[in-house]
Structure formats: structure tokens, C-alpha cells
Amino acid sequence: MSWEPVIGLEIHAQLQTKSKIFSGASTAFGSEPNTQACIIDLGMPGVLPVLNREAVRMAIAFGLAIGARVAPRSIFARKNYFYPDLPKGYQISQYEIPIVGKGSVRILLDDGTVKEIGVTRAHLEEDAGKSLHEDFHGMSGIDLNRAGTPLLEIVSEPDMRSAKEAIAYMKTIHALVRYLRICDGNMQEGSFRCDANVSVRRRGDPIFGTRCEIKNVNSFRFVERAINFEIERQIDVIESGGRVDQETRLYDPDGNETRTMRSKEEANDYRYFPDPDLLPVVVDDALVAAVRESLPELPEARRERFMAQYALSAYDAGVLTAGRELADYYESTVAAANGEGKLAANWVMGDLAAFLNREGREITDSPVTPAMLGALVNRIADQTISGTIAKKVFELMWNGEGDPDAVIARHGLKQVTDTGAIEKAIAEVMAANPQQLAQYRSGKDKLFGFFVGQVMRKMQGKASPEQLNALLRDKLAP
Amino acid sequence: MSKFHTMTVARIAAGLRRREFSSVEVTRSFLDRIASLDGRLNSFITVTPELALAAAKAADARIGGGEAVTALTGVPYAHKDIFCTKGVRTSCGSRMLENFIAPYDATVTRHFRDAGMVMLGKTNMDEFAMGSSNETSYFGPVHNPWDLQRVPGGSSGGSAAAVAARISPFATGTDTGGSIRQPAALCGITGIKPTYGAVSRFGMIAFASSLDQGGPMAVTAEDAALVLNVMAGNDPRDSTSVEREKEDYARLLDAPLRGLRVGMPKEYFGSDGLDPRVGAAVHAAAAELVSLGASLVEVSLPNSELSIPAYYVVAPAECSSNLSRFDGVRYGYRCKEPRDLMDLFCRSRGEGFGAEVKRRIMIGTYALSAGYYDAYYLQALKVRRLIRNDFDAAFNQCDVILGPTSPTTAFRIGEKTDDPVTMYLSDIYTIAVNLAGLPGMSIPCGFADGLPVGLQIIGRHFDEARMLNVAHQYQQATDWHTRLPAPFA
């Protein structure tokens, strides 16, 4: 029997406004507990919310980026439930009329095909605080710094058919919100969180199976694992004659399993109703036009442009456009490298990425600037240095030795193209290795590489590889 | 100079500006009256003599220095205990907030403070403003100065009693379904519920957010206008506060009433619940306005009988959500030795709230529940629209609407406490005004067996100045508002 998973995601993206969605308190992460909660965030008696216009602009930007209709008039509603870190006893959210309506994104799958995933809606809401259960001797501590942080909840259609597709969708949204500079995408700090709705059905069945919601999985890897575990679990339940119950489940990354959190019967009745403290959010054409004007080139368009303009593969273009800063860096590098697109791509995705990764740095924090890397690419292209020497130059630049020309000059790394110098080195190597020379001449071609290495070493790597190859082949010939 | 209690706010303010007397003298005099008389009324929950005298001294210095004196600098007042006052207990009449010291000032409180006015203390009220008799207060009932066995009305009962007994020159109130106007009527004073959005709700502990509105309670319409000038104005911290130019609510007080069209809703008269003596007093007041040059027009408010059921869905629904924050976690009452989280929530709320508050939370929770929302809450919103349409149509024919404020005079303490529905009916004439967001006021228009009768004047949106003009002209021609209950003379 063949089973088909059906997956929809609810993504919570924390909007990177300076202040909270309904108060003037700061949204900065990591402060001492309860130092960034004002009387409004604390839900003091008598306080009232005032909407942060910047959060509205950010939601509009997202709506435009996914081709959705932005509601000219959307409504904030109260979602009522009791929880210690929910100060007012209700969360201000949007229910019947969200600010962003139906839209879609296109995801790129591993086999290079593109799939369109529907976005049902995206709405603004406030985050709750945090309950801290350690260090309080059997009691719980409440930190309300996060309370009132603006969130954009992005709800997808159940359009995904595998964990891989779900991750591709999640990464697409992740890249998009970061491109738009509306969310920092930091999953460790909880700025980008995901709930997954998963069901399975027999392939070909037009009706969806009963779904389970997996709450709050906080890395791409865990989302993939949690979904895969849940798919297997549901198939097992059905194949052993059971029935999947609609419920909310929690993923445990340590045991790699999902566990029941609450059943449908235990689900809250949130008693949504329009928040009488807030007026409808009115978005006029002028505001939409202004936000549209400020939109950057979006990842998909940029990926296609990179392929056309710089002759990159879909894969390379995809990697380079996954982040706006990375794509900006790449384009600046190409500009400095006289349009050497492919070579620049190799360096950005290769050595630069490896160095950044090793030191845990962001691209914006690279000691090697695009101008420096572009110049390095130029020196390779004009054969001032070889690719191998370039790696050394790169490392020296990374360590703060300045632009490539200075580094090359200071360390005497300029490629040697003087035929006489290379021939002299070849003669010395041949004299020093008579046995290998004899073997080569008797047909052991593989030893050619040995001679290349020896000569290169003698020349401290500075010989032009092409020249060295040609001369060596000539001299070694019997 | 100990007759301050017979002076209006306007008179005290003028005397202070002319330095006939000091704010400290006036303040002391009222603090003395509170100390000697409030034992009989229980109109204050908290009296703040030290703060009041300090504020009075500062006001005197301000007047003496001639710097930035406002119209009411140095005038004392009593503040309903629903407005947050920084550093002073703000109880909302509830055990839940019995020990709650507000960490901030309500916008209205700040306006008074900035104007250099002197708060005498915080007045008693129905718990969380839910009640029409002041009997639901955790701090005990308030007694009507005209008959201590009777209620002062509610929820702003402490404020009404304090002004009626002249132990404060004026007081603040809040009005969700009649909580300023009904106690004003039952105590024989003047009270205004402004247009929704005219006075900031920031720092005014919410009962029903779409209906709540703060306003002044005073002896005369002129005083009410002067106080409203201080209270009203756009507040960026309240999204429902309306952006309008600051206006002088007293600007039309002296305008003649010639040409004024007074609407008399036929539905307001001849109903079973209306005490005929109240009806007669209202008709007599209408005749007085005619003698001042106004004309009467019969108008119809056909959906007014639906206002009570609509109100008792909308207001409890909003209150059930507004009062969720009182959970024993961050401030306010917390039960002893909670076993677990659920126990903390349930017992803190169960023990901290009184019966009427719990009744309304239950009604509201039910009305918002899945499966009932459309039948109750949405239906009530539709009725609300109809009621507003009724008023819009009526105001095509008239400039103000006249009627009774309350169907009866003050009833006895305990008389209606076992029958909430009868209690709810005492707000029949006031509730529709809140549902429509209109301004309304009550002024004294006579007595029945020694108890005051209230006349309600309803205006168009933001037409407070016209409403106050009618009230002031009526008060120039009558003396009901100047009478004092004998024990407090």
C-alpha cells in the first residue's frame, strides 16, 4: 500500500520592529527578565494597546512579496485563554479578517523542479512571555520581555507532500522574510518558529486524512525529522487497524519522537471576538504603493537573473540568493572582478563560505571585502597568480594583511612566467630523481604528477601551471 | 470662610484666582467635612489628606507665582476608584485590587494633576463598575445623602453621594450603561457621560471597552462643563480616543434656547416601569424648556426596548475578556497556598471577585462561546446598529432628546439585590445612549417624597456643548440643583 503525506505549515516570524506591537517597550533579545516589559506588556489594569505602524508596513511587504491581496481593512481580535505568561488573559491576534490574504510562493526542489505552494493567509499578532521552570525550587518564573513582540503568522495551504518539500517551503519563507528585512530569521532565539500539520492518505484518495499538529519545532533539521517521524507513526497506526486522532503533539528532539500534548476534546474554546480597544487596520492604496516601492528584488527573481546574467547553474544561483546579504556580497564581488561571475561564485561559495563557517561569522562581518575578493579574482584571471597561490593570498587577506596586490607583493607570490627559471627548476628536479625519470620514460605516465609537484615545490608554488605543464612534458619526453 | 461646600466649582476657582482664599483652606475644609460626615455615607474607599494638602500647597504656590495657572488650579475633587492614580491604591471596588497601588496615572488623572487640581481621595463604586446601586462594592454600600436607608445608584455611587453631600466640590465617574447618569439622578446632581471617544480611557480600569466613558459629576452644568474641559481631549495612548480640536464645553452655556427642538421619545413615557411621579417631573421640565423658547417634537426610538438585552450581551462579553488579566499571577489578590496552576487561577478569581462580577463573567463567557457567538454577540451588535440608526433618525427632527434618567427614585438598600434582572431594568433609559456612543447627561428636575428625580438630556455625537447649554439654561430658571440634603447643609 502506498501512502501520501499531506503537510501544511504555520510559521511564526518575529517582526524586527524596534518596539513592541502594542507598546513602546524594546524588542531586543536577551535582556534580564522583565526589564523590557512596560505597564502595557504587563497587562496592568487600565492600560490600552496602540498599534505599531511599522509592524503593519512589514506585513504589507510580506503580502506583496507573495502576491497576496492586502486587506484594506483588517481586524484585531482577542484570543482568550488563561496562561501565566499571557498577561492579559488574551492574545491580540487577527481572526476573521487577516491583513494578508491568499498568496503563494514557488519552491525549488532537489531535482530542479519548481512547485507552487499556497499561502492561505498571514496575520499580525503579539507574542506571549516565557515561563521558566528551572531555578525556582518547584515554582515557575515568568519573563515578560517577549510579551507583545510582533509576530507574523504565515499559514500555508496543505500543499506539501513530503518532509523535504516542507523544508524547502520553510527555507523559501525564511529567505523571503530575511530579504524583506522584516525578520532576522534567528531560529535559536525563536524569531522564526514552525508548527506542522501532518496527515497521511492512501495515494489517489481525494480526501485528506485526520491531521495532527506538531508544535514549535525550532530548526530545519528537527522539522524534517519530526514530520518524517509523524508520517511513519500515522501509517503504522492505520496499517495496524487503528485510527489517527486529531490532536496536538510535541516533538522531542532527544528521543526523536512526537508525543500527545492535548487531544481535540481538550482544545480551548478561544472565544474570539473583535478587540474593542483597537480600531480596524486601514491600509490605503498610497501605503501599499509606498511599501511596494520600497521592496527589494526578491529571491526568486534574483536567482533567475543570476543564472542569466552570470551564467550560473540553478544550484549556484540558489545558494547565492538564499540570503540578501550574501547575494549583495556576491554581486559586489563580481562588479569588482570585471564580471567574472563563475569564478567569483566559486570563491564566494568555496573558500569564503568555509572561512566564515569555521569562525562562525556572518557574511556582513567578513574581513575580506567584496572589493578585495574581486581583486583577487582579477589576479587569477590575469594569471598574476595561480589558483593555488590565490588560496594562500586569501588566507593572508583574511588575517588582515590588506588587499591582494599588497599581499602578493609583500610575500613575493607573483606567478613566475620566465621560461628560463622554470626550465632551470625542471633540470634540477630531473637530475635529483633519475630513478623516477627512468620509470616515467619506460611508460609510467602517472609519475608526471610527481614531477609537477616537485617542480612546483622548488618554485614555491609560483610557477604558472600551464607553462610548467607544457615545459615539463617537453623535457621529460624520452 | 467655611462655606466652601455651598460654592460651585466655578465660584471656588474664581475665589482662588482672586486669592480670596487659598487652596489649602478649601482643601482642609473639604477634608474636614469628609472626616466628620463620610462615616454616614461610606462614599470614599481611600482618603488622601497628606497628598491633598501637598497638592493644595503646590497649587497655592503656582497661583501665587502666577505661573501657568489653569481655570481649575487648586480646586479639590474626588476621583472614582476606577482611575489609576500613581502611588495610591486603586481598588475598583474589589477585593481583587484591595491592595493594588497603581504604578502609573490614568490620562484623566494626569490631566487633573497637570492642571494643578487637588485629589481628596478615591470614591466607592460598584465592583468593577458592575451594578446600579453601589451594593456590589467590596468596601460596603454607599448611602444616599437624601435618605441614608437608600442606595445612591451606581456604579459611580460614591462620587454621586460625595457631591450631593458637598463633601467634594465635584467628582469623576465612569458610565458604561448609566453609571454616571443614574447615580446623578438618584442623588440630585449633574452628571455627564460624554460622547464615546471624547475622554481617554487609558488608565481607567476597563469594564466594557466599547461602552466605557469617563465624565464629570458636579452640582451644576457649568461646573460639569469646566471639569469636562480638563478631562476631555485626544490621547495617543487610547486608540479609540477621537482626534478632534480641543473645545470649550462651556462656550454655549449662555445661548438662549429660542428655536431649540426638543425630542420626546414616545417609547420613554407610559411604560409600566416608569414611576408616574418621575414622568410628571420630566414633563414639567419639558414645559419649562418650552417657556424658555424651545419647542417639543415627538420622536420615536422603536428599538429602545432591545437595548437591555443587547447591552447584557455586549457588556458581559467584553468584561469576561477584560477581567481575565486578574489571575493572581502578577498583581492583585492571590489565594493562599495554591496547589497548582489551575487552583491558583480558580481560587484567586473565585475568592477575589464578588457575585455580580462573576455572574457577568459567566454570561459573557457563554455569549462568546463557540456555537453561541452568532446567536448572541453578533446579534447584539446588529441590535446596537439599529439603536444607533433610531437615534440618527430622531436627531433629524430635533437637537436634543429629553426623558427620564431612571424609571424610579432611589430604592432601599437591599431591595433589589436578590433580583438582578429588576436591577438591570433601572438602566433602561441610559443604556441605549452608551450603545449608540452618544453624549448624555442627567440633571435634577424635581423631587418625589423628598427624593431627587433626574432629567436626562441626550445630544448628538460631540454635541456636548449644546446639551450643556440646555442644562445650564434650565438650571438658570430652576433651583432643584441648588438644594442640599438637610443633614449635610
Side-chain angles (χ1 to χ4, degrees):
Chain A
M1 184 62 64
S2 171
W3 296 92
E4 180 180 56
V6 174
I7 302 158
L9 298 185
E10 286 169 24
I11 291 171
H12 286 90
Q14 207 174 80
L15 298 177
Q16 52 192 32
T17 53
K18 288 190 187 69
S19 56
K20 293 184 175 178
I21 185 168
F22 298 119
S23 85
S26 164
T27 52
F29 179 83
S31 304
E32 284 295 298
N34 299 311
T35 55
Q36 286 182 173
C38 69
I39 51 172
I40 292 163
D41 309 318
L42 293 172
M44 280 287 162
V47 298
L48 296 170
V50 175
L51 178 60
N52 181 338
R53 303 304 302 181
E54 198 49 35
V56 173
R57 284 184 73 96
M58 289 181 174
I60 295 170
F62 180 79
L64 295 176
I66 62 162
R69 178 171 181 269
V70 175
R73 194 170 173 282
S74 62
I75 307 282
F76 278 105
R78 293 185 184 176
K79 179 178 180 179
N80 295 283
Y81 64 98
F82 286 98
Y83 206 70
D85 59 25
L86 185 70
K88 299 185 294 296
Y90 58 83
Q91 178 196 28
I92 305 177
S93 181
Q94 296 192 304
Y95 186 53
E96 284 185 325
I97 310 176
I99 184 157
V100 174
K102 231 174 164 45
S104 67
V105 292
R106 284 145 52 87
I107 62 171
L108 186 62
L109 300 176
D110 285 349
D111 63 3
T113 57
V114 168
K115 180 170 176 176
E116 184 161 312
I117 305 293
V119 174
T120 315
R121 60 183 283 167
H123 66 254
L124 287 166
E125 61 184 28
E126 59 178 344
D127 208 343
K130 277 180 188 160
S131 296
L132 309 167
H133 301 295
E134 286 159 22
D135 308 330
F136 293 97
H137 313 288
M139 315 247 292
S140 292
I142 305 294
D143 176 8
L144 295 175
N145 281 352
R146 200 181 65 181
T149 299
L151 298 177
L152 188 66
E153 178 172 335
I154 304 158
V155 183
S156 84
E157 292 286 305
D159 283 350
M160 288 149 277
R161 294 291 173 266
S162 70
K164 284 231 174 305
E165 286 187 16
I167 298 307
Y169 165 78
M170 197 174 161
K171 286 186 170 165
T172 303
I173 296 289
H174 189 252
L176 186 58
V177 294
R178 291 173 66 229
Y179 253 79
L180 296 169
R181 303 240 162 97
I182 63 175
C183 173
D184 66 18
N186 190 325
M187 296 174 78
Q188 266 170 342
E189 292 177 4
S191 306
F192 191 84
R193 319 195 280 268
C194 179
D195 302 336
N197 283 295
V198 177
S199 66
V200 297
R201 62 178 170 187
R202 284 169 213 280
R203 210 166 284 282
D205 192 336
I207 296 163
F208 290 157
T210 305
R211 70 189 154 88
C212 291
E213 183 181 13
I214 312 167
K215 276 276 177 208
N216 250 333
V217 214
N218 291 336
S219 78
F220 292 118
R221 198 157 49 108
F222 288 159
V223 171
E224 184 166 0
R225 283 197 199 163
I227 290 172
N228 280 329
F229 172 85
E230 184 59 20
I231 291 167
E232 292 306 316
R233 188 191 70 84
Q234 292 186 14
I235 293 171
D236 282 352
V237 166
I238 299 169
E239 286 188 341
S240 57
R243 205 189 56 199
V244 174
D245 293 321
Q246 187 176 334
E247 59 184 3
T248 303
R249 300 177 70 86
L250 214 55
Y251 177 68
D252 168 16
D254 296 328
N256 187 31
E257 58 176 8
T258 64
R259 282 196 299 263
T260 299
M261 188 174 140
R262 58 171 178 264
S263 69
K264 192 187 178 191
E265 288 70 36
E266 294 169 275
N268 280 313
D269 177 353
Y270 291 118
R271 308 190 313 280
Y272 282 100
F273 75 108
D275 190 332
D277 287 333
L278 289 162
L279 303 177
V281 185
V282 175
V283 176
D284 58 19
D285 294 345
L287 179 56
V288 173
V291 175
R292 193 188 299 278
E293 194 65 32
S294 71
L295 286 185
E297 185 182 20
L298 298 177
E300 195 188 342
R302 204 168 189 184
R303 185 175 73 221
E304 278 166 16
R305 181 169 63 78
F306 276 20
M307 290 166 69
Q309 188 173 342
Y310 305 121
L312 299 181
S313 68
Y315 176 81
D316 286 357
V319 170
L320 289 171
T321 54
R324 185 165 160 189
E325 289 75 17
L326 180 64
D328 288 347
Y329 185 102
Y330 169 73
E331 291 215 88
S332 303
T333 303
V334 177
N338 297 316
E340 285 285 347
K342 179 59 189 164
L343 200 49
N346 290 346
W347 276 90
V348 170
M349 292 163 62
D351 290 61
L352 176 66
F355 273 74
L356 290 171
N357 199 30
R358 200 176 61 202
E359 296 193 7
R361 286 185 188 238
E362 294 297 318
I363 184 80
T364 47
D365 193 26
S366 167
V368 176
T369 65
M372 288 157 75
L373 187 58
L376 181 67
V377 168
N378 283 337
R379 295 294 83 85
I380 302 167
D382 67 15
Q383 301 201 344
T384 304
I385 53 172
S386 67
T388 317
I389 287 293
K391 284 179 183 294
K392 193 167 180 183
V393 175
F394 182 87
E395 185 167 3
L396 291 166
M397 290 198 297
W398 182 274
N399 292 332
E401 294 214 15
D403 69 69
D405 289 333
V407 171
I408 292 166
R410 189 175 313 127
H411 294 270
L413 296 173
K414 194 171 174 341
Q415 189 158 259
V416 177
T417 49
D418 172 5
T419 313
I422 300 173
E423 281 176 340
K424 184 168 168 271
I426 290 172
E428 285 171 19
V429 168
M430 284 167 69
N433 297 284
Q435 211 179 334
Q436 284 84 349
L437 182 63
Q439 287 174 355
Y440 177 82
R441 286 190 169 154
S442 61
K444 206 166 179 192
D445 289 348
K446 271 197 226 156
L447 278 173
F448 186 72
F450 164 80
F451 284 103
V452 171
Q454 289 298 312
V455 176
M456 207 45 129
R457 186 190 291 174
K458 199 159 263 310
M459 300 202 66
Q460 289 151 338
K462 290 182 284 189
S464 154
E466 292 82 13
Q467 236 176 330
L468 187 152
N469 278 341
L471 287 171
L472 190 62
R473 210 172 284 287
D474 192 42
K475 300 286 177 201
L476 290 179
Chain B
M1 200 54 80
S2 61
K3 288 288 179 190
F4 293 122
H5 71 279
T6 60
M7 293 182 185
T8 62
V9 169
R11 173 72 185 85
I12 292 172
L16 287 169
R17 271 202 308 279
R18 288 196 298 262
R19 301 194 218 173
E20 275 176 52
F21 40 77
S22 70
S23 176
V24 169
E25 285 173 84
V26 178
T27 301
R28 271 221 177 89
S29 149
F30 281 102
L31 287 171
D32 288 348
R33 278 182 71 81
I34 293 169
S36 61
L37 299 172
D38 196 44
R40 287 181 249 175
L41 300 173
N42 193 31
S43 69
F44 279 84
I45 290 173
T46 306
V47 184
T48 53
E50 292 85 5
L51 289 175
L53 288 169
K57 275 198 193 96
D60 284 334
R62 194 162 157 177
I63 294 167
E67 42 129 352
V69 176
T70 71
L72 300 186
T73 300
V75 175
Y77 71 100
H79 213 7
K80 185 175 179 179
D81 208 15
I82 198 169
F83 288 98
C84 284
T85 42
K86 188 173 184 175
V88 175
R89 172 168 70 169
T90 302
S91 76
C92 226
S94 180
R95 183 185 193 192
M96 184 60 85
L97 294 178
E98 185 182 2
N99 297 312
F100 176 69
I101 311 289
Y104 75 104
D105 273 337
T107 297
V108 166
T109 308
R110 190 167 48 77
H111 284 330
F112 285 138
R113 214 186 276 279
D114 291 348
M117 296 166 71
V118 177
M119 187 180 85
L120 298 168
K122 308 290 294 283
T123 57
N124 205 342
M125 54 182 284
D126 278 300
E127 185 179 7
F128 284 102
M130 298 176 201
S132 309
S133 66
N134 223 299
E135 294 167 289
T136 72
S137 170
Y138 176 67
F139 299 89
V142 175
H143 301 265
N144 191 317
W146 292 96
D147 177 349
L148 297 173
Q149 304 303 310
R150 290 177 187 269
V151 303
S155 65
S156 312
S159 292
V163 174
R166 308 294 201 268
I167 61 174
S168 179
F170 80 90
T172 58
T174 61
D175 189 316
T176 305
S179 282
I180 287 175
R181 290 158 291 158
Q182 185 255 19
L186 270 48
C187 289
I189 64 164
T190 300
I192 304 180
K193 183 211 89 84
T195 308
Y196 185 79
V199 172
S200 169
R201 293 187 298 113
F202 187 83
M204 201 177 96
I205 298 175
F207 161 15
S209 311
S210 74
L211 301 163
D212 295 344
Q213 189 63 195
M217 303 176 81
V219 174
T220 67
E222 181 185 13
D223 285 0
L226 296 175
V227 174
L228 189 55
N229 279 345
V230 181
M231 292 179 82
N234 178 243
D235 181 5
R237 290 190 294 183
D238 174 0
S239 309
T240 63
S241 162
V242 176
E243 281 185 56
R244 297 179 90 244
E245 291 284 303
K246 249 316 208 183
E247 66 174 293
D248 176 10
Y249 291 101
R251 69 188 186 277
L252 297 179
L253 290 179
D254 294 323
L257 297 189
R258 191 160 311 284
L260 180 84
R261 297 168 302 161
V262 176
M264 304 284 282
K266 61 181 182 194
E267 292 82 3
Y268 279 12
F269 302 94
S271 78
D272 298 345
L274 180 65
D275 180 333
R277 298 170 307 173
V278 172
V282 172
H283 280 298
E288 184 66 47
L289 294 182
V290 170
S291 77
L292 294 171
S295 59
L296 302 184
V297 194
E298 188 186 79
V299 294
S300 177
L301 300 170
N303 294 294
S304 53
E305 65 172 359
L306 295 176
S307 61
I308 287 198
Y311 175 86
Y312 277 97
V313 170
V314 172
E318 292 182 11
C319 106
S320 72
S321 175
N322 283 334
L323 270 59
S324 292
R325 67 189 62 199
F326 304 105
D327 56 7
V329 174
R330 296 169 313 289
Y331 49 74
Y333 182 81
R334 179 185 284 188
C335 68
K336 298 271 172 293
E337 308 278 321
R339 283 192 315 277
D340 55 24
L341 179 62
M342 196 47 79
D343 189 45
L344 170 75
F345 284 154
C346 292
R347 277 202 293 126
S348 296
R349 290 169 65 77
E351 295 163 16
F353 289 138
E356 182 62 26
V357 169
K358 283 189 259 191
R359 177 163 29 243
R360 297 201 197 189
I361 290 174
M362 293 296 289
I363 293 170
T365 302
Y366 182 84
L368 290 176
S369 298
Y372 298 96
Y373 180 84
D374 289 5
Y376 291 101
Y377 191 75
L378 273 190
Q379 193 68 8
L381 292 189
K382 286 179 197 158
V383 169
R384 196 170 174 177
R385 182 78 239 175
L386 292 178
I387 287 167
R388 187 171 169 156
N389 291 346
D390 282 358
F391 278 109
D392 286 347
F395 278 121
N396 282 332
Q397 298 168 262
C398 63
D399 304 307
V400 292
I401 289 172
L402 210 64
T405 305
S406 167
T408 65
T409 54
F411 45 91
R412 288 182 189 284
I413 291 173
E415 190 180 326
K416 296 186 182 178
T417 41
D418 294 333
D419 186 356
V421 175
T422 310
M423 184 81 86
Y424 296 167
L425 286 172
S426 60
D427 292 331
I428 178 120
Y429 299 116
T430 48
I431 275 174
V433 173
N434 299 78
L435 290 170
L438 296 166
M441 67 187 293
S442 181
I443 58 174
C445 70
F447 285 84
D449 292 335
L451 294 173
V453 174
L455 173 74
Q456 184 174 218
I457 306 169
I458 304 167
R460 296 192 180 102
H461 286 106
F462 294 104
D463 208 9
E464 281 86 351
R466 169 65 57 202
M467 205 171 71
L468 282 157
N469 163 231
V470 176
H472 181 69
Q473 290 303 308
Y474 177 79
Q475 289 182 342
Q476 294 302 101
T478 58
D479 67 353
W480 307 114
H481 61 288
T482 64
R483 308 218 185 154
L484 252 126
F488 300 91

